């Protein structure tokens, strides 16, 4: 069934079709419609789940983790300040190996107050041990929730589904809503190897001495390393059932590209319009959209960008005192490789400022006119 | 012929707490858990945030409790327990009693937001606070449960605690939850009865347990029960129950209250207090006691 829905509702449908059993959430703009629809679904019985209406995002994640530990599939959604408030519990989720799925609407961090999009909220959580998927369409948002539960529950690592504020969260697009039966075939019920039950009492998360702690973290990393292959495997399986492939990255006209624009989120689609127009003018541009950010898809990124002489990374974020974060990551993927494209870093669109196709043309023009990156950050559209 | 009095043993023999735990000598918190679990039985899951009990239970991979434990974040005892309860219900384990077991810091201070919210939602959990009146696990720092006049490492003798202990019972009563009780490790039958009663009630139940801490109170380990008794006998920590936020029942009617000085003098944390300061504390206890009696309709 096709429906015209907003990005936030794509998250709700994804959570519903995944048969989430416990939802705990706290409202924050621009996330509210996600949980409004889910509470309606819980109220009218469309979704058989318990909705815990908590008093903060910190408690939202805490309640989700309690539910997950008890063996229930748990979902929540938040944004910016809410995600930051959850920070402690994000570590708890991955450290405790509780495969919760969280929808995060990318919103700029205050102060000054901003409800508009940038990625500093989710990227500030890149080292918390969560799998991160950045989406560029409402269809991808819905599909990603279902795939994320599958990947997360297989490896017992939580996942974050990330979408831009407004340009995706509040934008209506046609979305194919998969049939419940098919989703059930793809995503089996959650059966964790250990859970909190009186039938088999265990203590979870207790005091862990230096004799044991490191091994627990080693195992988390080893399982994280399995994510890219599992994303491809479950993505192909998804394609067989639903006709849409879900991959680590999404490349567009990159094969013969002289310059590859690396993007994430909705900026990817804008980049593609620019790529097409540039191609018409004879400029061989391509676009690599990074969908899986954590763990970083090193192999895929290397494979795709190594063939191009130049790479321009667009960041809607900044690591203060360093550079754009995707730029750092792409550079680190290429370090020590034989093929070394020249990599340029651009920052645009902070706090919801528009990123247009003209910005991409400006980026391409800059990168093609320079032999090397003269500065680590090229600011796009900043009023200096 | 004199009528023979028979003693009825009301405390179950079953032990769900093993020796080999890491509590200090004379620890009230460990005795409280042992008794509470005797009342609640094996079909109990417990959420323990950062507090002495996060350590007492024993380090990974050991546990001194024969029930499932979730060691949760400091401020999340109530929110974690809410999630555990919802999760267990969704997987069909509807009979499990979910217990949040936190210290005074995790209850009066950092966890009060989550606790208030869980109580407002009337979550089907028992929240037990074992109150040793300071952050004992981190080395005796003052909490909002630390009483007036007490020394702690952050309220040194020259600047001992000048503020009253937060009225957690008043706060919880204002939430009009189905059941609230105070309990003491010196009155085990009463404590066990209250946990048994709580187990049979639906909704949020809050039990405030007085738990002596010889290390933090600078008292003798062998005096822990004596201190806990004195706390009740002086009227400092009255034993009562509140049903539906308004029906107060005093469980232990003290005919002649002992002076608070008897209680204070056994604890090094009050050693610096002068007579006039003790008189102020006595007055505080008297006022509070009168208020409690009034609420209990006495």
């Amino acid at each position: 069934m096709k429906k015209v829905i907003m990005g936030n509702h794509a998250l709700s449908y994804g959570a519903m079709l995944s048969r989430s059993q416990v939802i705990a959430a706290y409202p924050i703009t621009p996330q509210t419609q996600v949980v409004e629809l889910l509470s309606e679904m819980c109220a009218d019985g469309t979704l058989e789940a318990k909705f815990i209406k908590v008093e903060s995002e910190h408690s939202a994640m805490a309640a989700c983790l309690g539910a997950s530990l008890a063996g229930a599939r748990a979902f929540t959604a938040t944004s910016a300040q809410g995600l930051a408030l959850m920070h402690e519990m994000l570590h708890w989720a991955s450290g405790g190996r509780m495969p919760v799925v969280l929808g995060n609407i990318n919103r700029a961090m205050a102060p000054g107050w901003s409800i508009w999009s940038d990625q500093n909220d989710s990227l500030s959580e890149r080292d918390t041990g969560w799998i991160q998927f950045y989406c560029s369409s409402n269809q991808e948002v819905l599909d990603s929730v279902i795939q994320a539960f599958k990947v997360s529950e297989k490896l017992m690592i939580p996942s974050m589904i990330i979408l831009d504020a407004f340009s995706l969260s509040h934008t209506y697009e046609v979305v194919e809503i998969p049939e419940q039966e098919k989703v059930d075939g793809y995503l089996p019920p959650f059966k964790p190897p250990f859970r909190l039950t009186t039938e088999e009492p265990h203590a979870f998360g207790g005091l862990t001495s230096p004799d044991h702690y490191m091994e627990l973290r080693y195992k988390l990393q080893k399982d994280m390393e399995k994510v890219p292959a599992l994303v491809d495997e479950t993505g192909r399986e998804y394609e067989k059932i639903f006709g849409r492939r879900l991959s680590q990255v999404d490349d567009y006209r990159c094969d013969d590209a002289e310059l590859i624009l690396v993007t994430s989120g909705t900026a990817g689609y804008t980049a593609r319009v620019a790529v097409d127009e540039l191609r018409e003018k004879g400029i061989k541009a391509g676009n690599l959209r990074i969908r899986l950010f954590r763990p970083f898809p090193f192999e895929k990124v290397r494979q795709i960008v190594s063939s191009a002489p130049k790479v321009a990374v667009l960041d809607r974020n900044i690591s203060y005192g360093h550079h754009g974060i995707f730029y750092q990551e792409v550079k680190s993927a290429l370090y020590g490789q034989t093929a070394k494209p020249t990599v340029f870093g651009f920052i645009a669109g902070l706090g919801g400022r528009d990123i247009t196709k003209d910005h991409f043309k400006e980026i391409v023009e800059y990168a093609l006119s320079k032999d090397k990156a003269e500065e680590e950050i090229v600011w796009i559209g900043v009023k200096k | 012929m004199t009528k023979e009095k028979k003693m009825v043993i009301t405390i179950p023999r079953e032990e769900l707490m093993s020796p080999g735990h890491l509590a200090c000598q004379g620890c009230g918190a460990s005795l409280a858990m042992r008794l509470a679990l005797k009342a609640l039985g094996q079909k109990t899951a417990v959420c323990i945030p950062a507090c002495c009990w996060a350590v007492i239970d024993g380090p990974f991979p050991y546990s001194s409790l024969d029930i499932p434990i979730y060691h949760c974040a400091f401020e999340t005892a109530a929110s974690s327990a809410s999630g555990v309860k919802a999760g267990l219900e969704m997987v069909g384990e509807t009979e499990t009693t979910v217990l949040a077991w936190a210290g005074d810091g995790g209850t009066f201070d950092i966890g009060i937001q989550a606790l208030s919210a869980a109580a407002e939602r009337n979550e089907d959990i028992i929240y037990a606070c074992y109150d040793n009146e300071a952050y004992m696990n981190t080395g005796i720092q003052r909490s909002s449960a630390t009483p007036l006049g007490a020394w702690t490492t952050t309220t040194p003798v020259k600047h001992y605690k000048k503020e009253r202990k937060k009225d957690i019972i008043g706060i919880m009563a204002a939430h009009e939850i189905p059941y609230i009780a105070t309990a003491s490790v010196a009155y085990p039958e009463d404590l066990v009865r209250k946990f048994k009663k709580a187990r049979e009630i639906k909704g949020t139940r809050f039990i405030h347990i007085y738990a002596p801490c010889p290390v933090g109170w600078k008292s003798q380990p062998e005096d822990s029960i004596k201190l806990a008794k004195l706390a009740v006998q002086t009227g400092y920590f009255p034993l009562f129950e509140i049903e539906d936020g308004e029906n107060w029942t005093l469980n232990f009617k003290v005919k002649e209250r002992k002076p608070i000085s008897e209680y204070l003098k056994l604890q090094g944390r009050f050693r610096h207090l002068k007579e006039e300061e003790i008189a102020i504390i006595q007055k505080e206890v008297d006022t509070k006691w009168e208020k409690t009696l009034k609420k209990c309709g006495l």
Side-chain angles (χ1 to χ4, degrees):
Chain A
M1 180 181 54
K2 280 194 164 68
K3 268 191 153 185
V4 179
I5 57 170
M6 69 194 310
N8 279 343
H9 286 172
L11 273 176
S12 319
Y13 275 101
M16 180 204 80
L17 290 165
S18 302
R19 294 194 187 275
S20 300
Q21 293 167 298
V22 174
I23 296 155
Y26 185 76
I28 181 168
T29 302
Q31 153 267 30
T32 45
Q33 293 83 4
V34 184
V35 292
E36 283 168 4
L37 183 57
L38 281 170
S39 46
E40 274 177 37
M41 287 168 167
C42 289
D44 68 16
T46 313
L47 175 60
E48 204 183 313
K50 291 201 180 286
F51 195 130
I52 310 177
K53 284 138 197 183
V54 289
E55 86 302 339
S56 72
E57 288 87 356
H58 195 279
S59 287
M61 186 50 69
C64 281
L65 298 185
S68 181
L69 194 62
R73 187 170 284 160
F75 177 85
T76 187
T78 189
S79 189
Q81 313 301 130
L83 187 67
L85 186 59
M86 274 182 190
H87 175 77
E88 180 193 22
M89 302 319 295
L90 297 181
H91 280 284
W92 218 277
S94 57
R97 308 299 292 264
M98 301 163 196
V100 170
V101 171
L102 173 153
N104 182 66
I105 323 298
N106 267 150
R107 162 182 158 175
M109 296 297 296
W113 280 116
S114 167
I115 54 168
W116 298 277
S117 195
D118 77 36
Q119 300 171 322
N120 261 60
D121 59 349
S122 55
L123 289 172
S124 295
E125 307 301 345
R126 69 174 168 177
D127 298 333
T128 53
W130 281 61
I131 300 165
Q132 288 197 347
F133 294 99
Y134 286 79
C135 301
S136 66
S137 71
N138 292 351
Q139 183 70 61
E140 193 181 36
V141 169
L142 185 151
D143 295 338
S144 294
V145 174
I146 299 166
Q147 185 193 23
F149 271 117
K150 192 168 172 102
V151 172
S152 282
E153 290 172 6
K154 179 123 187 181
L155 295 172
M156 299 298 280
I157 301 174
S159 284
M160 208 179 279
I161 310 299
I162 297 147
L163 51 149
D164 304 57
F166 301 106
S167 52
L168 208 54
S169 70
H170 286 62
T171 300
Y172 282 72
E173 291 181 336
V174 178
V175 174
E176 170 73 34
I177 314 277
E179 288 164 36
Q180 183 66 61
E181 208 174 288
K182 284 186 180 173
V183 177
D184 292 344
Y186 176 80
L187 180 67
F190 177 40
K191 295 272 180 240
F194 296 100
R195 62 185 195 87
L196 195 78
T197 172
T198 56
E199 285 161 18
E200 195 195 338
H202 290 291
F204 293 85
L207 187 65
T208 309
S209 72
D211 271 350
H212 298 288
Y213 187 91
M214 199 160 159
E215 283 67 29
L216 297 178
R217 293 302 171 261
Y218 170 80
K219 285 178 178 174
L220 177 56
Q221 170 64 13
K222 285 289 149 194
D223 284 338
M224 259 293 189
E225 289 169 9
K226 293 175 190 162
V227 172
L230 190 59
V231 166
D232 284 344
E233 186 193 317
T234 56
R236 282 193 297 269
E237 197 187 328
Y238 199 88
E239 187 183 22
K240 270 187 204 158
I241 301 171
F242 304 102
R244 291 179 296 277
R245 180 175 288 205
L246 300 167
S247 316
Q248 303 170 48
V249 297
D250 184 13
D251 55 308
Y252 182 72
R253 303 183 86 165
C254 286
D255 289 347
D256 62 340
E258 289 164 25
L259 174 82
I260 294 176
L261 293 163
V262 178
T263 61
S264 56
T266 51
Y269 277 180
T270 315
R272 283 169 195 207
V273 177
V275 164
D276 288 344
E277 289 183 11
L278 288 162
R279 289 252 173 190
E280 275 173 31
K281 287 184 194 162
I283 297 166
K284 286 182 180 171
N287 172 234
L288 172 67
R289 181 171 68 80
I290 295 178
R291 174 173 177 255
L292 178 70
F293 172 74
R294 269 293 176 275
F296 195 74
F298 286 105
E299 289 307 318
K300 288 280 174 198
V301 169
R302 279 175 195 146
Q303 206 182 312
I304 292 161
V305 304
S306 294
S307 60
K310 285 180 178 176
V311 173
V313 185
L314 178 86
D315 275 294
R316 197 171 206 166
N317 62 75
I318 180 165
S319 170
Y320 303 108
H322 205 294
H323 314 131
I325 292 169
F326 280 82
Y327 173 59
Q328 295 172 7
E329 304 261 340
V330 169
K331 279 197 297 177
S332 87
L334 294 171
Y335 183 80
Q337 302 293 306
T338 32
K340 282 186 193 131
T342 307
V343 187
F344 299 86
F346 299 87
I347 288 180
L350 299 185
R353 188 165 297 180
D354 275 346
I355 299 175
T356 65
K357 64 178 182 182
D358 289 339
H359 288 140
F360 282 106
K361 287 180 182 167
E362 191 184 329
I363 287 166
V364 169
E365 208 171 287
Y366 180 96
L368 291 179
S369 68
K370 311 271 182 197
D371 292 331
K372 56 178 184 147
E374 287 164 10
E375 42 194 345
E376 297 281 10
I377 302 174
V378 182
W379 293 83
I380 298 296
V382 75
K383 298 167 201 159
K384 282 183 187 165
Chain B
M1 226 171 92
T2 52
K3 203 177 170 187
E4 219 178 288
K5 268 194 175 176
K6 269 192 183 172
M7 193 171 132
V8 183
I9 297 168
T10 58
I11 300 173
R13 280 181 189 279
E14 191 192 12
E15 292 284 358
L16 290 169
M17 182 175 155
S18 318
H21 58 74
L22 300 183
C24 310
Q25 283 188 340
C27 169
S30 52
L31 185 51
M33 177 69 96
R34 183 181 166 210
L35 294 167
L37 291 186
K38 277 171 176 281
L40 297 177
Q42 193 148 23
K43 256 194 142 15
T44 305
V46 63
C47 296
I48 304 178
C51 61
C52 288
W53 253 102
V55 177
I56 294 172
D57 169 47
F60 173 84
Y62 305 107
S63 169
S64 57
L65 301 183
D66 199 13
I67 58 163
I69 308 171
Y70 174 26
H71 287 279
C72 59
F74 205 168
E75 62 279 58
T76 70
S79 44
S80 297
S82 304
V84 166
K85 184 66 190 175
L88 285 174
E89 289 206 347
M90 287 309 295
V91 298
E93 290 185 27
T94 53
E95 300 302 310
T96 302
T97 301
V98 177
L99 171 69
W101 184 268
D104 49 287
T107 304
F108 288 60
D109 292 343
I110 198 167
I112 198 166
Q113 176 178 321
L115 171 59
S116 170
E120 184 269 334
R121 297 192 303 268
N122 199 21
E123 292 286 349
D124 193 17
I125 57 168
I126 299 178
Y127 190 109
C129 168
Y130 65 94
D131 182 3
N132 50 29
E133 303 196 314
Y135 291 89
M136 298 313 189
N137 197 35
T138 45
I140 327 165
Q141 293 82 25
R142 88 55 113 187
S143 76
S144 62
T146 303
L148 176 69
W151 161 91
T152 67
T153 55
T154 52
T155 47
V157 167
K158 279 185 184 164
H159 192 79
Y160 62 78
K161 188 157 185 271
K162 309 281 188 197
E163 302 83 18
R164 288 191 184 102
K165 182 183 177 95
K166 190 188 273 183
D167 180 12
I168 194 74
I169 290 293
I171 291 167
M172 294 315 293
H175 287 76
E176 299 180 329
I177 52 175
Y179 186 68
I180 295 169
T182 59
S184 166
V185 290
Y187 297 85
E189 290 89 351
D190 180 72
L191 188 147
V192 167
R193 181 184 67 77
K194 284 169 175 168
F195 271 92
K196 277 186 176 173
K197 184 172 176 177
R199 192 184 59 181
E200 303 310 319
I201 297 169
K202 286 264 173 209
T204 306
R205 295 139 282 170
F206 181 80
I207 302 182
H208 182 198
I209 310 165
Y210 178 91
C213 172
V215 176
W217 295 4
K218 306 286 172 211
S219 57
Q220 296 305 310
E222 63 270 27
D223 282 344
S224 284
I225 299 301
K226 192 177 178 183
L227 270 171
K229 273 193 178 159
L230 279 168
V232 174
Q233 290 164 349
T234 54
Y236 172 76
F237 193 89
L239 296 177
F240 57 86
E241 290 162 282
I242 311 167
E243 276 156 278
D244 301 317
E246 50 189 33
N247 303 318
W248 291 57
T249 312
L250 191 68
N251 305 118
F252 191 83
K253 296 181 182 77
V254 194
K255 284 199 185 97
E256 273 183 52
R257 285 187 296 125
K258 290 187 175 167
I260 196 68
S261 56
E262 276 191 39
Y263 169 76
L264 301 176
K265 73 181 181 196
L266 290 175
Q267 304 171 62
R269 63 173 171 159
F270 297 116
R271 191 175 293 138
H272 54 276
L273 294 178
K274 298 184 186 75
E275 256 178 53
E276 56 271 30
E277 289 159 333
I278 292 172
I280 292 169
I281 294 172
Q282 181 66 62
K283 217 177 152 205
E284 288 277 328
V285 172
D286 294 347
T287 313
K288 187 97 188 163
W289 172 255
E290 289 305 324
K291 275 188 191 167
T292 306
L293 286 186
K294 211 174 156 190
K295 281 175 178 158
C296 295
L298 299 166

